[in-house]
């Protein structure tokens, strides 16, 4: 059973809410509140609407919606030249060489090359030269389990600190830093995948206030009721939004901080569903 589902069940028991585990893997749960059925599946919840979930899964869509509202690294998407014939009408750059030339002319190095709909840091590359850009694009467009038909070129941000900010009903309910102070890079740029990285709980009122204020324009533009926002602070003490996750995984946070803070999130979520 996944940590998220385990804590959902504990929250149900704490609040005396009936639930039913309806799959042998135990990661599909049905809850009935006010004569309505609500399903929690793996890391997904019934809180967020389908259109918003699809938008934030697509990093390029997210960029085009939010880049005039908050600071995001400049991002350009490139459709795979190897896409099916039916998608060729969308193809602006018909060869890998054309994509590489466009990136070279419009981005300084280092540049981030990553897949558009990826998660967990898979197929995210920090590229310092043309050869590395080419290698990254080939890896993203390679038809395997990490494949994406859209690759992104993204402006490099010199990061001082990186945070995961979890919001529920547009309220900041959990903040932690992805701390790599004593960690070792082992091939995945995502900080919490570094060997020895820690999820460090943040309760500093100033940081909480700064991030809550930074994110306000996001919620004015997107009807986002639940999500994990990856936010970085650069060397000039400017905040940037990197991406949004519609189904945050709390496993590493629980490992490093215990489950109480996350349990409270699921309790608040259930109370919110019950009030609707």
């Amino acid at each position: 059973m996944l940590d998220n589902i385990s804590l959902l069940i504990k929250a149900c028991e704490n609040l005396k809410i009936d639930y039913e585990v309806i799959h042998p893997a135990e990661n599909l749960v049905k809850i009935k509140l006010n004569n309505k059925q609500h399903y929690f599946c793996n890391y997904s919840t019934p809180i967020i609407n389908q259109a918003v979930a699809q938008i934030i899964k697509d990093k390029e869509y997210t960029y085009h919606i939010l880049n005039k509202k908050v600071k995001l690294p400049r991002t350009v998407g490139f459709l795979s030249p190897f896409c099916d014939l039916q998608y060729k009408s969308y193809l602006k750059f018909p060869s890998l060489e054309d994509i590489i030339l466009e990136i070279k002319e419009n981005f300084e190095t280092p540049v981030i090359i990553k897949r558009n709909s990826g998660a967990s840091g898979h197929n995210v590359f920090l590229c310092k030269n043309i050869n590395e850009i080419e290698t990254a694009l080939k890896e993203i467009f390679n038809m395997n389990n990490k494949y994406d038909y859209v690759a992104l070129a993204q402006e490099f941000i010199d990061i001082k600190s990186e945070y995961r900010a979890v919001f529920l009903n547009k309220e900041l309910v959990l903040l932690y830093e992805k701390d790599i102070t004593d960690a070792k890079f082992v091939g995945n740029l995502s900080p919490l995948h570094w060997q020895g990285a820690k999820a460090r709980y943040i309760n500093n009122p100033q940081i909480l206030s700064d991030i809550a204020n930074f994110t306000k324009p996001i919620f004015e533009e997107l009807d986002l009721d639940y999500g994990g926002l990856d936010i970085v602070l650069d060397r000039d003490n400017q905040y940037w939004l990197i991406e949004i996750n519609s189904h945050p995984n709390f496993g590493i946070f629980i490992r490093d901080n215990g489950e109480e803070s996350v349990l409270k999130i699921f309790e608040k979520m259930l109370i919110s569903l019950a009030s609707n």
Side-chain angles (χ1 to χ4, degrees):
M1 182 181 292
L2 297 171
D3 289 326
N4 285 35
I5 295 295
S6 174
L7 289 178
L8 167 69
I9 288 172
K10 285 187 179 181
C12 287
E13 292 170 348
N14 288 351
L15 297 172
K16 306 294 190 293
I17 294 172
D18 290 335
Y19 64 89
E20 181 183 357
V21 179
I22 55 175
H23 188 274
E26 300 186 323
N27 289 318
L28 177 61
V29 175
K30 180 173 72 173
I31 293 167
K32 189 173 183 180
L33 292 166
N34 299 330
N35 294 318
K36 291 174 64 178
Q37 315 288 350
H38 301 281
Y39 290 90
F40 291 75
C41 176
N42 297 331
Y43 299 107
S44 297
T45 75
I47 294 291
I48 185 169
N49 81 54
Q50 183 178 354
V52 172
Q54 185 59 40
I55 287 168
I56 62 179
K57 182 181 178 182
D58 189 303
K59 298 178 181 65
E60 189 181 15
Y61 281 176
T62 304
Y63 175 77
H64 281 281
I65 288 172
L66 294 178
N67 79 89
K68 291 181 174 62
K69 304 296 180 180
V70 293
K71 287 175 74 72
L72 288 100
R74 188 166 59 89
T75 302
V76 178
F78 299 93
L79 180 63
S80 169
F82 317 111
C83 65
D84 291 342
L85 184 62
Q86 60 184 317
Y87 302 118
K88 292 290 185 181
S89 62
Y90 296 104
L91 198 57
K92 186 176 179 181
F93 301 96
S95 71
L96 210 58
E97 290 73 21
D98 292 322
I99 294 174
I100 293 167
L101 181 61
E102 182 70 10
I103 294 172
K104 180 183 177 183
E105 290 180 349
N106 289 280
F107 287 87
E108 296 180 358
T109 53
V111 60
I112 299 294
I113 304 295
K114 63 183 182 182
R115 59 179 183 164
N116 184 42
S117 300
S120 302
H122 297 307
N123 273 2
V124 179
F125 304 92
L126 176 63
C127 300
K128 302 180 181 66
N129 54 54
I130 294 299
N131 289 339
E132 291 182 355
I133 292 171
E134 181 178 3
T135 299
L137 290 169
K138 286 180 177 177
E139 189 62 33
I140 291 168
F141 294 146
N142 183 26
M143 297 288 286
N144 58 28
N145 64 331
K146 299 176 185 176
Y147 162 80
D148 200 326
Y149 61 90
V150 174
L152 301 180
Q154 190 172 80
E155 174 188 5
F156 171 75
I157 305 299
D158 191 7
I159 296 172
K160 181 166 73 173
S161 303
E162 181 164 346
Y163 301 95
R164 166 60 63 89
V166 180
F167 285 81
L168 176 62
N169 295 324
K170 303 175 178 61
E171 175 192 355
L172 180 58
V173 291
L174 178 65
L175 181 67
Y176 60 90
E177 182 179 357
K178 302 176 181 184
D179 188 353
I180 57 172
T181 303
D182 299 312
K184 178 183 177 183
F185 177 67
V186 288
N188 188 323
L189 287 175
S190 180
L192 289 183
H193 291 84
W194 291 37
Q195 184 178 312
K198 301 289 184 184
R200 186 167 64 88
Y201 177 68
I202 299 293
N203 59 4
N204 180 300
Q206 187 62 57
I207 298 175
L208 291 168
S209 175
D210 288 346
I211 286 184
N213 288 330
F214 169 75
T215 56
K216 277 182 181 177
I218 297 170
F219 300 103
E220 293 168 2
E221 189 66 27
L222 277 179
D223 186 21
L224 179 65
D225 288 323
Y226 178 61
L229 280 61
D230 288 335
I231 296 167
V232 302
L233 185 69
D234 70 16
R235 300 291 175 180
D236 296 320
N237 292 319
Q238 297 291 311
Y239 283 106
W240 299 75
L241 174 67
I242 301 301
E243 60 186 60
I244 304 174
N245 189 318
S246 65
H247 47 275
N249 174 358
F250 296 102
I252 295 175
F253 178 85
I254 293 168
R255 179 199 70 190
D256 295 338
N257 301 274
E259 63 183 30
E260 189 61 31
S261 298
V262 182
L263 179 59
K264 289 179 180 177
I265 293 173
F266 281 102
E267 289 176 348
K268 287 182 178 180
M269 191 180 295
L270 292 170
I271 291 169
S272 174
L273 286 171
S275 66
N276 291 334

